[in-house]
Amino acid sequence: MIISMRLHATADEIDQVCERIKEFGYKVHSIVGEERVVIGVVGVGDVTACLESIQAMPGVESAVRISAPYKFVSKEFKPNHTRIRLNGIEIGGDDFCVMAGPCSVENEKQIMETAEGVAAAGAKILRGGAYKPRTSPYDFQGLGVEGLKLLAKAREATGLAVVTEVMSDGEVGLVAEYADIMQVGARNMQNFALLKALGGCGRPVLLKRGMSSTIKELLMSAEYITAHGNANVILCERGIRTFETATRNTCDLAAVPLLNELTHLPVIVDPSHATGKRSLVPPLSRAAAAIGADGLIVEVHPRPERAMSDGAQSLTLEGFREMMEQLRPCLDLWRQFRAPMNVVAVRQSIK
Ligand code: PEP
Ligand code: MN
């Protein structure tokens, strides 16, 4: 059950609702929202009686039963697609949003050159890892704070927003000082201490699907962040492990429209990690647009053959420019299917 309080509900009204919920044997699990208080109710009790009682209380806007195990992120809770606004950009809004940049921030020249190139080609957000989760402890682990500073410098020079990975709960505060969007990598999708810490970080979170995670597990991880106070979560399909070895991962494109049925959160696709192969990135990007993803996150490097990580899947700057050109007809398709999706959402919210 989720209770939404009215915009100007008083602290006293909120307390009384929480007390009443407890009288029915439920627990008040979390309260979220910047503008309005939303109360999550969990446990076992008489749902119908509780709903009826709460709905009649002063200060209550609505009380709804949510059958999905993930509550705040479910479409049942919020039928309208979530729009996340930052630096004049909207993710989940009326424009397809492209994030691009190197796998790792390597040095000033590399990140500046990439940032300028991807911005000129139409990207709105610069990606780049300062903290890198590497399979081998002997591989490049990222520049750390130095990398974060270089990203901030590139943002200043180009106006691009910055998305970068945070790997542990202890580093959330530091990364949030530099990043516009906090990335949770596939390997950390179920790092619950990190997810909880991101609930209070004050920045949108890009949550990547774990390489062996189900859609339900992805949504439960998003629920962690939301239940801890941060409703601005972007989901990312980045490929999953299957028996196939011809590609680095198997891109589960069906996850995108399925997530659009289950959740109001924006969903983007990472065709770089999903395939591991540069040549497959443009066609999968076009496919992602055609099936209604909210955007892409793509790896781009000025000299992929010299990249310190993921060079084989990185587009050159010219390759990225071409990819953006080829994307155009698919964006017309995207707009056509997008409009009815939003209309349906509005209708659902009215009834
Ligand atoms: C990355 O974005 O560079 C990355 C490590 O991605 P993933 O967590 O999806 O493997
Ligand atoms: Mn990478």
Side-chain angles (χ1 to χ4, degrees):
M1 217 180 325
I2 302 270
I3 321 288
S4 297
M5 300 300 294
R6 286 190 203 286
L7 211 49
H8 301 296
T10 63
D12 200 37
E13 286 170 339
I14 295 163
D15 286 346
Q16 282 180 17
V17 168
C18 291
E19 281 314 307
R20 189 80 183 112
I21 292 166
K22 288 178 196 158
E23 282 168 24
F24 277 93
Y26 289 105
K27 279 188 185 150
V28 174
H29 176 64
S30 51
I31 297 179
V32 294
E34 274 169 24
E35 289 181 345
R36 142 193 335 261
V37 170
V38 179
I39 305 166
V41 181
V42 289
V44 183
D46 184 341
V47 184
T48 314
C50 183
L51 270 180
E52 271 177 20
S53 171
I54 300 291
Q55 268 160 353
M57 291 184 76
V60 172
E61 171 94 26
S62 69
V64 286
R65 187 179 184 170
I66 311 278
S67 54
Y70 36 86
K71 310 288 179 196
F72 292 118
V73 306
S74 75
K75 205 100 180 185
E76 286 171 82
F77 171 55
K78 179 174 175 283
N80 282 330
H81 204 59
T82 288
R83 293 166 179 249
I84 296 175
R85 296 181 183 91
L86 69 141
N87 305 10
I89 311 158
E90 221 178 32
I91 304 155
D94 299 328
D95 287 310
F96 189 74
C97 180
V98 180
M99 312 180 184
C103 178
S104 307
V105 181
E106 298 170 3
N107 54 59
E108 182 164 346
K109 181 170 183 288
Q110 171 240 23
I111 196 67
M112 288 299 190
E113 210 178 326
T114 313
E116 275 156 20
V118 299
K124 297 285 181 242
I125 298 173
L126 175 66
R127 65 145 290 149
Y131 296 91
K132 295 304 302 176
R134 304 305 301 280
T135 303
S136 167
Y138 308 117
D139 286 341
F140 178 57
Q141 306 283 308
L143 295 180
V145 187
E146 189 49 38
L148 295 176
K149 288 184 179 160
L150 291 177
L151 285 167
K153 206 165 178 186
R155 168 178 49 214
E156 223 162 87
T158 58
L160 291 170
V162 162
V163 58
T164 194
E165 179 159 354
V166 55
M167 297 210 301
S168 71
D169 51 331
E171 285 162 343
V172 166
L174 173 68
V175 176
E177 277 178 39
Y178 296 91
D180 298 294
I181 303 176
M182 311 282 279
Q183 177 175 327
V184 177
R187 290 154 192 81
N188 268 319
M189 190 202 85
Q190 287 190 317
N191 178 341
F192 300 116
L194 174 60
L195 301 179
K196 286 181 196 175
L198 287 166
C201 74
R203 302 252 181 251
V205 176
L206 172 61
L207 179 64
K208 297 186 94 177
R209 181 180 180 181
M211 57 187 84
S212 301
S213 300
T214 63
I215 304 266
K216 184 175 163 189
E217 287 164 343
L218 172 63
L219 290 169
M220 292 308 291
S221 289
E223 185 79 7
Y224 259 92
I225 302 168
T226 309
H228 284 83
N230 187 351
N232 291 326
V233 180
I234 305 151
L235 304 175
C236 178
E237 165 57 40
R238 49 76 72 203
I240 49 173
R241 283 235 167 128
T242 67
F243 58 85
E244 182 57 79
T245 54
T247 47
R248 183 175 178 182
N249 291 291
T250 295
C251 189
D252 181 11
L253 279 182
V256 176
L258 180 56
L259 283 166
N260 279 335
E261 288 177 15
L262 300 174
T263 178
H264 51 84
L265 296 175
V267 183
I268 66 166
V269 172
D270 175 346
S272 310
H273 292 88
T275 62
K277 234 179 144 169
R278 182 179 310 127
S279 64
L280 300 181
V281 171
L284 272 188
S285 297
R286 299 196 292 274
I291 59 170
D294 290 288
L296 297 169
I297 181 161
V298 177
E299 286 188 340
V300 180
H301 195 288
R303 289 161 291 277
E305 69 289 352
R306 296 174 69 169
M308 296 178 86
S309 58
D310 288 348
Q313 66 194 34
S314 300
L315 295 171
T316 59
L317 289 170
E318 179 56 18
F320 179 69
R321 205 191 52 73
E322 276 172 21
M323 186 203 92
M324 293 296 276
E325 285 286 315
Q326 292 168 1
L327 207 54
R328 264 191 215 159
C330 296
L331 295 183
D332 294 336
L333 207 60
W334 183 84
R335 277 183 205 99
Q336 254 181 55
F337 286 98
R338 188 73 172 179
M341 186 166 117
N342 282 337
V343 170
V344 170
V346 170
R347 277 201 204 112
Q348 280 175 347
S349 71
I350 292 168
K351 79 173 182 207

